[in-house]
Amino acid sequence: MVCEFSESVLDGIADALVDRGYICIDDLFEPGVVARLRDKVFAEADETFKPASIGRGHEQHRNTDIRRDSIRWLEPHCAVDNSYLSLMESLKNGLNRRLFMGLFDYESHYALYRPGAFYKKHVDALKGSQNRILTTVFFMNPDWQPEHGGVLKLYEEDDSLIEELAPLMGRLVIFLSERFPHEVMPTKVDRASIAGWFRVAGSQHGF
Protein backbone atom coordinates (compact mmCIF):
# COMPACT_ATOMS: atom_id res chain seq x y z
CA MET A 1 0.00 0.00 0.00
CA VAL A 2 1.21 3.49 -0.73
CA CYS A 3 1.86 5.58 2.37
CA GLU A 4 0.27 8.65 0.87
CA PHE A 5 -2.13 9.68 -1.85
CA SER A 6 -0.75 11.10 -5.08
CA GLU A 7 -1.43 14.75 -5.81
CA SER A 8 -3.63 13.82 -8.78
CA VAL A 9 -5.76 11.48 -6.64
CA LEU A 10 -6.13 14.18 -3.98
CA ASP A 11 -7.15 16.68 -6.65
CA GLY A 12 -9.85 14.27 -7.85
CA ILE A 13 -11.16 13.63 -4.35
CA ALA A 14 -11.29 17.34 -3.54
CA ASP A 15 -13.11 18.15 -6.79
CA ALA A 16 -15.67 15.40 -6.18
CA LEU A 17 -16.37 16.56 -2.62
CA VAL A 18 -16.97 20.10 -3.87
CA ASP A 19 -19.10 19.02 -6.84
CA ARG A 20 -21.28 16.29 -5.31
CA GLY A 21 -20.10 15.61 -1.75
CA TYR A 22 -18.86 12.05 -2.25
CA ILE A 23 -16.55 9.84 -4.31
CA CYS A 24 -15.97 6.12 -4.89
CA ILE A 25 -12.45 5.00 -5.84
CA ASP A 26 -11.41 1.48 -6.86
CA ASP A 27 -8.02 -0.26 -6.81
CA LEU A 28 -6.15 2.52 -5.06
CA PHE A 29 -4.36 0.19 -2.61
CA GLU A 30 -1.80 -2.53 -3.26
CA PRO A 31 -3.74 -5.84 -3.29
CA GLY A 32 -1.35 -7.69 -0.97
CA VAL A 33 -1.77 -5.15 1.80
CA VAL A 34 -5.54 -5.12 1.37
CA ALA A 35 -5.42 -8.89 1.82
CA ARG A 36 -3.42 -8.49 5.05
CA LEU A 37 -5.98 -6.05 6.39
CA ARG A 38 -8.73 -8.54 5.58
CA ASP A 39 -6.77 -11.42 7.11
CA LYS A 40 -6.48 -9.43 10.33
CA VAL A 41 -10.26 -9.13 10.53
CA PHE A 42 -10.85 -12.87 10.39
CA ALA A 43 -7.86 -13.76 12.55
CA GLU A 44 -9.21 -11.62 15.39
CA ALA A 45 -12.95 -11.80 14.79
CA ASP A 46 -13.68 -14.19 17.63
CA GLU A 47 -11.23 -12.64 20.11
CA THR A 48 -11.20 -8.83 19.89
CA PHE A 49 -14.30 -7.88 17.90
CA LYS A 50 -17.32 -6.70 19.88
CA PRO A 51 -20.96 -6.26 18.84
CA ALA A 52 -21.44 -2.69 17.60
CA SER A 53 -23.54 -0.16 19.50
CA ILE A 54 -25.53 2.90 18.49
CA GLY A 55 -25.51 6.31 20.18
CA ARG A 56 -22.59 8.13 21.77
CA GLY A 57 -21.07 8.47 25.21
CA HIS A 58 -23.36 7.39 28.05
CA GLU A 59 -26.19 6.83 25.57
CA GLN A 60 -24.40 4.00 23.75
CA HIS A 61 -26.38 0.78 23.64
CA ARG A 62 -26.87 -2.26 21.45
CA ASN A 63 -29.90 -2.43 19.18
CA THR A 64 -29.94 -5.42 16.86
CA ASP A 65 -32.99 -4.02 15.06
CA ILE A 66 -30.73 -1.21 13.75
CA ARG A 67 -27.31 -2.81 13.29
CA ARG A 68 -25.77 -6.26 13.66
CA ASP A 69 -22.11 -5.85 12.77
CA SER A 70 -19.11 -6.42 15.06
CA ILE A 71 -16.22 -3.97 15.30
CA ARG A 72 -12.65 -3.45 16.50
CA TRP A 73 -11.00 -0.03 16.58
CA LEU A 74 -7.75 0.46 14.67
CA GLU A 75 -4.66 1.11 16.80
CA PRO A 76 -1.64 3.18 15.61
CA HIS A 77 0.91 0.92 17.33
CA CYS A 78 -0.20 -2.07 15.23
CA ALA A 79 1.80 -2.23 11.98
CA VAL A 80 -1.11 -3.47 9.86
CA ASP A 81 -3.48 -0.88 11.29
CA ASN A 82 -0.91 1.87 10.92
CA SER A 83 -0.44 1.17 7.22
CA TYR A 84 -4.06 2.20 6.72
CA LEU A 85 -3.99 5.06 9.22
CA SER A 86 -0.94 6.56 7.49
CA LEU A 87 -2.85 6.76 4.25
CA MET A 88 -5.76 8.47 6.00
CA GLU A 89 -3.29 10.99 7.45
CA SER A 90 -2.20 11.73 3.89
CA LEU A 91 -5.83 12.20 2.88
CA LYS A 92 -6.43 14.56 5.79
CA ASN A 93 -3.43 16.73 4.98
CA GLY A 94 -4.18 16.78 1.27
CA LEU A 95 -7.80 17.86 1.73
CA ASN A 96 -6.87 20.49 4.28
CA ARG A 97 -4.44 22.01 1.78
CA ARG A 98 -7.03 22.06 -0.98
CA LEU A 99 -10.34 22.71 0.76
CA PHE A 100 -9.32 24.23 4.13
CA MET A 101 -11.63 21.77 5.87
CA GLY A 102 -9.81 21.93 9.20
CA LEU A 103 -9.75 18.14 9.54
CA PHE A 104 -7.92 17.38 12.77
CA ASP A 105 -8.53 13.91 14.16
CA TYR A 106 -9.40 10.52 12.67
CA GLU A 107 -10.84 7.38 14.21
CA SER A 108 -11.70 4.16 12.46
CA HIS A 109 -12.76 0.60 13.13
CA TYR A 110 -12.90 -2.69 11.32
CA ALA A 111 -16.46 -3.85 10.75
CA LEU A 112 -17.44 -7.46 10.19
CA TYR A 113 -20.91 -8.33 8.92
CA ARG A 114 -21.72 -12.00 9.26
CA PRO A 115 -24.48 -13.48 7.06
CA GLY A 116 -27.75 -11.74 7.88
CA ALA A 117 -26.10 -8.64 9.36
CA PHE A 118 -27.09 -5.12 8.28
CA TYR A 119 -27.05 -1.48 9.38
CA LYS A 120 -30.26 0.47 8.81
CA LYS A 121 -30.37 3.97 7.35
CA HIS A 122 -28.61 6.59 9.45
CA VAL A 123 -26.49 9.74 9.28
CA ASP A 124 -22.98 9.75 10.77
CA ALA A 125 -23.22 13.24 12.29
CA LEU A 126 -25.90 15.57 13.61
CA LYS A 127 -26.25 18.84 11.71
CA GLY A 128 -23.81 21.42 13.04
CA SER A 129 -22.27 19.09 15.64
CA GLN A 130 -18.91 18.84 13.82
CA ASN A 131 -18.17 15.59 15.66
CA ARG A 132 -17.87 13.90 12.26
CA ILE A 133 -17.07 15.91 9.15
CA LEU A 134 -15.91 13.37 6.60
CA THR A 135 -16.67 9.64 6.46
CA THR A 136 -14.51 6.97 4.82
CA VAL A 137 -15.51 3.37 4.12
CA PHE A 138 -12.98 0.86 2.78
CA PHE A 139 -14.06 -2.57 1.58
CA MET A 140 -12.11 -5.85 1.73
CA ASN A 141 -14.27 -8.46 0.01
CA PRO A 142 -12.81 -10.54 -2.84
CA ASP A 143 -15.02 -12.07 -5.52
CA TRP A 144 -18.11 -10.17 -4.39
CA GLN A 145 -21.20 -11.07 -6.39
CA PRO A 146 -24.54 -9.21 -6.72
CA GLU A 147 -26.37 -12.11 -5.08
CA HIS A 148 -24.28 -11.63 -1.92
CA GLY A 149 -26.21 -8.47 -1.01
CA GLY A 150 -24.46 -6.18 1.48
CA VAL A 151 -24.46 -3.09 -0.73
CA LEU A 152 -23.91 0.38 0.72
CA LYS A 153 -26.85 2.58 -0.24
CA LEU A 154 -26.20 6.32 -0.32
CA TYR A 155 -29.14 8.76 -0.15
CA GLU A 156 -29.79 12.45 -0.67
CA GLU A 157 -30.99 14.46 2.31
CA ASP A 158 -34.57 14.05 1.03
CA ASP A 159 -34.04 10.26 1.20
CA SER A 160 -33.97 9.75 -2.55
CA LEU A 161 -31.49 7.04 -3.52
CA ILE A 162 -28.24 8.28 -5.10
CA GLU A 163 -26.27 5.12 -5.62
CA GLU A 164 -25.84 1.49 -4.56
CA LEU A 165 -22.18 0.64 -3.98
CA ALA A 166 -21.06 -2.99 -3.86
CA PRO A 167 -18.43 -3.69 -1.15
CA LEU A 168 -15.76 -4.72 -3.66
CA MET A 169 -12.20 -5.60 -2.60
CA GLY A 170 -10.10 -2.43 -2.47
CA ARG A 171 -12.97 0.04 -2.94
CA LEU A 172 -12.84 3.31 -0.96
CA VAL A 173 -15.91 5.53 -0.49
CA ILE A 174 -15.57 9.05 0.94
CA PHE A 175 -18.50 11.35 1.73
CA LEU A 176 -19.56 14.34 3.83
CA SER A 177 -20.77 12.93 7.13
CA GLU A 178 -23.66 15.31 7.81
CA ARG A 179 -25.08 15.27 4.31
CA PHE A 180 -25.72 11.68 3.26
CA PRO A 181 -27.99 9.17 4.97
CA HIS A 182 -26.77 5.67 4.18
CA GLU A 183 -27.36 2.04 5.05
CA VAL A 184 -25.81 -1.40 4.68
CA MET A 185 -28.20 -3.91 3.22
CA PRO A 186 -28.31 -7.44 4.67
CA THR A 187 -25.40 -9.58 3.54
CA LYS A 188 -25.56 -13.27 2.69
CA VAL A 189 -21.82 -13.89 3.16
CA ASP A 190 -19.11 -12.48 5.43
CA ARG A 191 -18.50 -8.79 4.64
CA ALA A 192 -15.43 -6.88 5.91
CA SER A 193 -14.76 -3.15 5.86
CA ILE A 194 -13.04 -0.28 7.67
CA ALA A 195 -15.23 2.68 8.61
CA GLY A 196 -13.64 5.95 9.68
CA TRP A 197 -14.43 9.58 10.48
CA PHE A 198 -12.52 12.83 10.44
CA ARG A 199 -13.32 15.52 13.02
CA VAL A 200 -12.31 19.14 13.34
CA ALA A 201 -10.45 20.58 16.33
CA GLY A 202 -12.67 21.10 19.36
CA SER A 203 -15.35 18.64 18.28
CA GLN A 204 -16.86 16.23 20.77
CA HIS A 205 -15.53 12.71 21.22
CA GLY A 206 -17.49 9.74 22.45
CA PHE A 207 -18.54 7.73 19.42
Side-chain angles (χ1 to χ4, degrees):
M1 181 187 296
V2 295
C3 294
E4 59 184 21
F5 287 93
S6 70
E7 294 301 311
S8 61
V9 169
L10 289 167
D11 288 342
I13 294 172
D15 289 345
L17 291 178
V18 171
D19 291 343
R20 62 181 184 270
Y22 78 98
I23 187 172
C24 176
I25 309 171
D26 290 329
D27 302 322
L28 183 63
F29 300 171
E30 193 278 315
V33 180
V34 181
R36 287 193 287 275
L37 288 166
R38 175 181 166 82
D39 289 345
K40 185 175 179 64
V41 171
F42 291 98
E44 299 187 2
D46 296 329
E47 297 179 5
T48 63
F49 278 62
K50 305 295 183 185
S53 300
I54 62 171
R56 299 182 177 90
H58 298 300
E59 298 180 354
Q60 279 192 354
H61 64 283
R62 288 189 63 196
N63 186 330
T64 56
D65 291 330
I66 295 177
R67 67 184 300 185
R68 295 186 182 178
D69 56 317
S70 297
I71 67 170
R72 186 186 76 76
W73 293 94
L74 273 71
E75 300 172 341
H77 67 265
C78 170
V80 176
D81 292 5
N82 194 57
S83 65
Y84 183 81
L85 294 173
S86 295
L87 194 60
M88 294 300 103
E89 179 74 10
S90 167
L91 176 62
K92 180 193 76 174
N93 294 336
L95 292 180
N96 281 343
R97 289 196 304 270
R98 287 163 174 78
L99 302 179
F100 307 100
M101 296 184 74
L103 304 178
F104 178 76
D105 191 25
Y106 181 76
E107 287 193 350
S108 59
H109 63 63
Y110 294 99
L112 177 59
Y113 290 74
R114 295 293 194 184
F118 57 85
Y119 193 166
K120 289 189 175 179
K121 189 188 299 182
H122 63 284
V123 178
D124 282 345
L126 299 175
K127 284 289 186 182
S129 66
Q130 295 190 329
N131 60 332
R132 291 174 174 174
I133 299 298
L134 194 66
T135 296
T136 63
V137 185
F138 180 64
F139 297 119
M140 302 172 288
N141 304 293
D143 304 317
W144 197 267
Q145 302 300 318
E147 59 267 26
H148 293 163
V151 298
L152 173 66
K153 287 189 174 183
L154 204 63
Y155 296 89
E156 291 282 11
E157 292 175 284
D158 64 2
D159 283 340
S160 59
L161 179 65
I162 300 173
E163 196 166 351
E164 295 186 6
L165 300 166
L168 305 180
M169 188 80 161
R171 170 168 285 181
L172 177 66
V173 182
I174 306 169
F175 58 89
L176 299 176
S177 302
E178 291 185 354
R179 179 171 164 184
F180 297 103
H182 53 284
E183 65 180 324
V184 177
M185 301 304 293
T187 182
K188 295 183 180 179
V189 298
D190 288 338
R191 178 190 187 276
S193 62
I194 300 175
W197 304 271
F198 289 101
R199 297 189 295 255
V200 296
S203 61
Q204 298 298 311
H205 292 242
F207 296 169

